[in-house]
Amino acid sequence: RLIASVPGAHTGLRMFKWGHMKLRKVLQDHGPLSSAVTKHWPVIAQFSSVGSLGPSSNSWLTQEWLSSLSSCQGSGLLGGVKKSELQLVFPTVENIRTSLEGYMAGGSVPYAVQTAAKQPYLTSFMNQWIADWCGRTRASPHIKTYMRLSPECDKLAR
């Protein structure tokens, strides 16, 4: 299922039409059963832009957003997903510099220095974009993807 992300604050009936709140609703209605996914399965998110997420990880990232991504069918939110179970994948400056497009690829990967300075906590969640196994490390990603992977890396939540 494709879920669109639309900038802005959405309230009332529009709250569940876009972005992570739409994803929360879809996972609650059609996602994995909570019995099939434990709270120890990390939430892994790959994305190509970063906006303002608040002054601390508890402001939005590990509260509202992580709750949406860890929702399960039937039982709603899967409680107890720890901050340490959140892994974010984002290209580094070196990834961009050595990418197929070079620094030109950076235009599609916005993260303002001013925004980064306001949320230094974000680096503790970051993982580097590496895709050597399929020859895609030098291809700058421009997509948002999210998944739950078993700690043994042998199962995906469905």
Side-chain angles (χ1 to χ4, degrees), residues 56-117:
S56 79
S57 64
N58 291 331
S59 300
W60 182 80
L61 182 68
T62 62
Q63 296 298 309
E64 187 173 329
W65 194 68
L66 185 56
S67 293
S68 290
L69 272 65
S70 56
S71 294
C72 288
Q73 188 179 149
S75 62
L77 301 178
L78 181 64
V81 175
K82 297 178 186 176
K83 287 189 220 183
S84 62
E85 304 299 337
L86 176 60
Q87 299 178 23
L88 305 177
V89 180
F90 190 75
T92 64
V93 172
E94 184 66 9
N95 287 140
I96 298 298
R97 187 185 71 75
T98 60
S99 72
L100 297 172
E101 301 87 8
Y103 281 122
M104 293 292 288
S108 65
V109 185
Y111 186 29
V113 172
Q114 299 87 344
T115 304

